[in-house]
Amino acid sequence: MFIPEHYKNTDTKEIHDFLKNNSFGILINTIEGKPWGTHIPLELSKNSEDKDILVGHIATANLQSKNLVDGDEVLCIFNGPHSYISSSWYKEEEVPTWNYIAVHVYGTIKIQTSEELLRSLHELVDKYEQQSEHPISLNNMSKKTMRQVKGIIGFEIEINDIQAVNKLSQGREHDHQKIIHELDNQGSPEKAVAEEMKKRMP
């Protein structure tokens, strides 16, 4: 993606933390010359060779599943907080803009075996059930329920390239306090952008 140099994020740890905390992404490949996207959890992990990967699964009924082939390159897009920025918050006249955080991951597909898929499903459910008052486990699911696993395919994406952007009013540091104040007086999405800006203030 196009990233002006002053918005580019090259901090690997920060990017990995972002992927872990914003793991619901968009898997994109090409089907018959047209881009195709599916919104799914894509979990950052390591493979047996200690390489960074994304792990996910999609329904076999999804046309995209029939066009995921070992060795193909795909794109995964992850969005973080974003908000409209009014230029009325600036000291000097300027056009309005948008602040946002996003990461694009390019990688190579490897289709999982049924054993690998089941293991990754256990890890996914266990991760997100930690916050539940009464957490469930796939270990306690009936054979009838678990037969639904036959309706999905799992995959790993070995990461080849990561492009990350933090567009947070860089170059307008003299306006940051006013921008943050205005964002803090709005809804949750705007407050999230304000928090990201606060993290980066000197």
Side-chain angles (χ1 to χ4, degrees):
M1 63 176 159
F2 170 67
I3 310 177
E5 195 63 33
H6 53 296
Y7 298 146
K8 189 177 294 184
N9 183 7
T10 58
D11 185 324
T12 301
K13 183 183 182 306
E14 184 178 317
I15 294 169
H16 283 188
D17 287 344
F18 174 88
L19 291 173
K20 290 173 183 175
N21 294 323
N22 299 272
S23 59
F24 195 74
I26 307 172
L27 171 69
I28 299 172
N29 68 348
T30 303
I31 299 175
E32 297 177 354
K34 293 183 178 181
W36 187 283
T38 301
H39 299 251
I40 51 172
L42 292 160
E43 296 293 322
L44 182 66
S45 187
K46 295 272 190 183
N47 63 14
S48 58
E49 299 173 352
D50 203 40
K51 293 181 178 177
D52 292 328
I53 59 171
L54 295 173
V55 180
H57 64 273
I58 57 175
T60 55
N62 184 336
L63 182 61
Q64 191 173 33
S65 73
K66 298 167 181 60
N67 289 267
L68 294 177
V69 179
D70 281 350
D72 279 1
E73 186 172 49
V74 295
L75 166 64
C76 301
I77 296 177
F78 300 86
N79 290 309
H82 60 89
S83 176
Y84 175 77
I85 304 297
S86 170
S87 56
S88 68
W89 305 340
Y90 298 163
K91 293 178 180 176
E92 299 177 2
E93 184 180 80
E94 185 53 271
V95 295
T97 188
W98 211 275
N99 278 2
Y100 67 96
I101 296 176
V103 172
H104 285 196
V105 177
Y106 294 86
T108 305
I109 280 279
K110 172 186 170 292
I111 303 302
Q112 290 180 325
T113 64
S114 56
E115 292 79 12
E116 289 170 334
L117 168 59
L118 191 58
R119 185 165 59 248
S120 68
L121 292 175
H122 276 276
E123 292 172 355
L124 180 68
V125 172
D126 290 347
K127 173 184 174 181
Y128 290 102
E129 284 292 329
Q130 291 179 38
Q131 305 304 318
S132 298
E133 184 177 353
H134 304 289
I136 57 97
S137 169
L138 295 186
N139 289 321
N140 300 326
M141 297 286 177
S142 67
K143 290 183 179 179
K144 179 181 177 182
T145 297
M146 291 303 294
R147 278 202 290 271
Q148 294 180 49
V149 174
K150 296 184 183 298
I152 61 177
I153 67 164
F155 54 84
E156 298 175 359
I157 301 169
E158 185 176 319
I159 297 175
N160 301 328
D161 185 35
I162 294 181
Q163 299 172 1
V165 56
N166 291 346
K167 184 178 178 296
L168 297 167
S169 297
Q170 291 94 327
R172 304 205 68 86
E173 282 72 16
H174 54 287
D175 291 317
H176 277 197
Q177 292 217 357
K178 175 65 171 173
I179 294 169
I180 289 169
H181 173 76
E182 295 290 343
L183 291 172
D184 270 335
N185 287 331
Q186 299 188 48
S188 296
E190 291 82 6
K191 284 182 170 66
V193 173
E195 289 304 312
E196 292 295 334
M197 292 182 66
K198 289 174 190 176
K199 289 179 190 176
R200 292 161 174 79
M201 289 185 73

